[in-house]
Amino acid sequence: MIPGLGALTQDTLWCFSQLKGTVEIGATEADIISTVEFNHTGELLATGDKGGRVVIFQREQESKNQVHRRGEYNVYSTFQSHEPEFDYLKSLEIEEKINKIRWLPQQNAAYFLLSTNDKTVKLWKVSERDKRPEGYNLKDEEGRLRDPATITTLRVPVLRPMDLMVEATPRRVFANAHTYHINSISVNSDYETYMSADDLRINLWNFEITNQSFNIVDIKPANMEELTEVITAAEFHPHHCNTFVYSSSKGTIRLCDMRASALCDRHTKFFEEPEDPSNRSFFSEIISSISDVKFSHSGRCIMTRDYLTVKVWDLNMENRPVETYQVHDYLRSKLCSLYENDCIFDKFECVWNGSDSVIMTGSYNNFFRMFDRNTKRDVTLEASRENSKPRAILKPRKVCVGGKRRKDEISVDSLDFSKKILHTAWHPSENIIAVAATNNLYIFQDKVN
């Protein structure tokens, strides 16, 4: 158990198949969750899936019986964000899968979020309606147009109460700007612009302009045979609107300053850890590819996730990370079989807690790992339906590498690589986490005595 975290308990378990009225778990591939994101207050939690749907959960208000314990997350809104498309020029299918969701800070009663598939970013407005207008002059009660000749009096329309309805409407559609698959979107701290990144380019958008974007990074070589790396993730600095980072498949991170030039083809800082020649193998380049990059909330550090480790970099030190955490080093001997079943190409995400003191990331067998940066202690927890009783305390799990296995340990050969936690999210101010395991969403919270 990590000090300061308390004992994480299972607050509630959501099965997407059940939310859609299906009893069978894992009915279709479309139900697999592909992204998870809390909004800036933590009151809402959004998930996207491979079927192009966005499901938003809202936190219940504090109950009178339990004043010090907030309620659970319940379904607030569900809508179809993206549909499957076909690019006839390239004879290419465009999946509806939601790659990323990013919330905008709330400015009024409505909520706004960005969602993207491989090619198109959409800005959605989610709003509530509990009143409806009645008494139109040119329409009857059923909404049909009336004959103007029959109108003899002028009525003032009135608003009548109605059952609460949550509506999701697309306000902007940002399309036709990416040749390759979008892997990241990030809202700028000026809240006027955002960026979208694909394998070779990063574009800067204004929220008000949908037909034009500015290309700020382009690593595409003149001859594609000379291509040696691709962009894997990108994010804006949380406080400085001119600064952003992007990571590559070579395990490097570039920090760019948009004040230097319009096209950031020259980085301001370059973060790379020299490779130990003794650890060099056939798989070195694959496992060094960075799958996620995140600024800390303070903006002082960068966190990156590669296949086996999580690294924390200080912005003032480029030659090596200040912290390195082994996520599942016991898999190093299994890289050959992981390569054969394509698991070595899985893209795990990583998240900070609200105070940047704890790091969380996923692993296989529905395990997820937490690392306390202050005490250097870590824990492995499991998100599974077997221990999904509400309020049940999660027991730490251990993986046995060799020798005699203890009763509470699991052998590395018994790990289920089809069960993987790629997507996680942490409440911005509380110890509440959301973990996506295939088509199940688990929400855990710190134990309250």
Side-chain angles (χ1 to χ4, degrees):
M1 185 166 58
I2 295 180
L5 273 180
L8 280 171
T9 63
Q10 176 134 4
D11 185 37
T12 184
L13 163 65
W14 291 103
C15 300
F16 265 59
S17 51
Q18 289 180 354
L19 290 175
K20 296 176 178 64
T22 309
V23 176
E24 184 182 356
I25 303 300
T28 64
E29 189 179 355
D31 296 321
I32 296 175
I33 300 172
S34 53
T35 183
V36 185
E37 187 80 6
F38 280 103
N39 74 339
H40 289 73
T41 63
E43 294 302 302
L44 297 180
L45 172 65
T47 66
D49 63 25
K50 284 193 172 183
R53 295 174 295 259
V54 172
V55 180
I56 301 175
F57 300 88
Q58 185 182 47
R59 197 176 185 185
E60 286 184 351
Q61 295 303 309
E62 198 171 62
S63 65
K64 294 179 181 179
N65 298 332
Q66 294 177 308
V67 179
H68 299 293
R69 193 180 190 90
R70 295 296 304 275
E72 298 176 348
Y73 284 83
N74 291 319
V75 178
Y76 178 64
S77 176
T78 303
F79 59 92
Q80 189 73 31
S81 174
H82 287 71
E83 300 281 356
E85 298 177 48
F86 191 81
D87 188 332
Y88 293 97
L89 289 176
K90 299 179 180 178
S91 296
L92 187 69
E93 274 191 60
I94 302 172
E95 286 185 323
E96 65 271 35
K97 172 193 165 192
I98 307 296
N99 292 339
K100 285 287 186 285
I101 290 174
R102 291 291 180 265
W103 290 91
L104 276 68
Q106 189 177 5
Q107 305 290 342
N108 49 40
Y111 302 98
F112 289 88
L113 63 85
L114 287 171
S115 63
T116 184
N117 66 349
D118 286 340
K119 298 291 183 181
T120 304
V121 184
K122 294 184 180 182
L123 175 65
W124 289 89
K125 176 184 179 182
V126 181
S127 56
E128 297 180 356
R129 192 149 60 94
D130 59 359
K131 293 182 177 64
R132 57 188 174 90
E134 287 185 1
Y136 286 110
N137 290 288
L138 298 178
K139 293 180 182 178
D140 60 20
E141 299 303 327
E142 296 179 3
R144 294 174 298 195
L145 289 174
R146 297 169 61 190
D147 183 0
T150 63
I151 301 173
T152 57
T153 57
L154 192 64
R155 294 186 295 177
V156 178
V158 294
L159 293 173
R160 302 286 187 198
M162 60 175 281
D163 293 337
L164 180 67
M165 187 189 336
V166 181
E167 298 176 315
T169 53
R171 300 305 300 268
R172 303 279 190 277
V173 177
F174 306 90
N176 306 320
H178 285 277
T179 307
Y180 307 98
H181 292 176
I182 298 172
N183 55 47
S184 302
I185 51 175
S186 179
V187 179
N188 201 345
S189 58
D190 62 11
Y191 303 128
E192 291 184 1
T193 56
Y194 77 93
M195 69 177 174
S196 55
D198 64 24
D199 295 336
L200 298 178
R201 296 187 179 100
I202 300 177
N203 293 331
L204 181 69
W205 300 82
N206 187 294
F207 280 110
E208 300 299 323
I209 303 171
T210 60
N211 60 353
Q212 185 181 18
S213 65
F214 296 94
N215 180 229
I216 54 176
V217 173
D218 189 346
I219 66 168
K220 182 182 179 182
N223 181 5
M224 285 296 281
E225 291 183 0
E226 299 173 2
L227 182 67
T228 58
E229 63 180 334
V230 295
I231 298 168
T232 55
E235 187 174 68
F236 268 119
H237 191 282
H239 309 301
H240 304 311
C241 61
N242 54 282
T243 307
F244 67 93
V245 295
Y246 68 92
S247 58
S248 83
S249 56
K250 275 193 168 181
T252 61
I253 310 107
R254 292 172 174 84
L255 181 81
C256 300
D257 190 336
M258 291 190 291
R259 295 174 300 185
S261 64
L263 181 64
C264 299
D265 50 359
R266 293 185 180 179
H267 49 266
T268 305
K269 292 191 175 185
F270 183 76
F271 301 86
E272 183 179 25
E273 184 177 24
E275 185 183 9
D276 185 354
S278 62
N279 290 334
R280 179 73 185 171
S281 71
F282 171 78
F283 306 106
S284 295
E285 192 168 323
I286 300 174
I287 64 175
S288 66
S289 176
I290 294 173
S291 56
D292 196 15
V293 60
K294 294 275 174 62
F295 272 106
S296 61
H297 294 89
S298 66
R300 176 70 189 270
C301 299
I302 303 171
M303 172 172 57
T304 59
R305 170 72 205 261
D306 56 41
Y307 189 68
L308 294 177
T309 67
V310 172
K311 296 173 182 175
V312 177
W313 304 76
D314 190 304
L315 289 186
N316 296 323
M317 190 165 74
E318 303 170 50
N319 59 339
R320 61 183 175 86
V322 291
E323 300 163 28
T324 300
Y325 301 99
Q326 299 295 332
V327 179
H328 39 217
D329 198 51
Y330 46 78
L331 295 181
R332 197 174 289 274
S333 61
K334 301 285 182 183
L335 292 179
C336 188
S337 59
L338 291 166
Y339 177 77
E340 291 174 355
N341 62 17
D342 286 342
C343 284
I344 200 169
F345 301 106
D346 286 335
K347 300 183 185 302
F348 292 93
E349 296 175 3
C350 52
V351 291
W352 304 87
N353 72 336
S355 61
D356 299 331
S357 61
V358 182
I359 290 167
M360 176 172 64
T361 191
S363 181
Y364 293 104
N365 207 70
N366 279 359
F367 288 168
F368 59 98
R369 303 269 282 138
M370 288 184 174
F371 304 93
D372 190 309
R373 298 179 61 207
N374 298 324
T375 64
K376 303 303 178 186
R377 301 178 75 175
D378 63 89
V379 67
T380 302
L381 300 172
E382 181 181 7
S384 69
R385 296 182 56 80
E386 284 70 30
N387 57 9
S388 61
K389 294 179 181 178
R391 314 299 177 191
I393 296 177
L394 294 183
K395 296 179 180 178
R397 301 300 305 270
K398 290 184 179 180
V399 178
C400 175
V401 180
K404 192 174 181 180
R405 183 172 63 88
R406 295 182 181 177
K407 183 180 179 182
D408 57 341
E409 292 181 338
I410 181 171
S411 169
V412 67
D413 297 317
S414 302
L415 295 175
D416 188 344
F417 293 105
S418 65
K419 295 179 178 179
K420 58 192 80 171
I421 292 177
L422 304 176
H423 314 287
T424 58
W426 201 307
H427 190 287
S429 59
E430 298 181 39
N431 280 335
I432 298 175
I433 59 173
V435 176
T438 56
N439 62 324
N440 297 330
L441 178 66
Y442 298 84
I443 301 176
F444 304 103
Q445 75 172 29
D446 199 358
K447 182 184 177 184
V448 180
N449 295 325

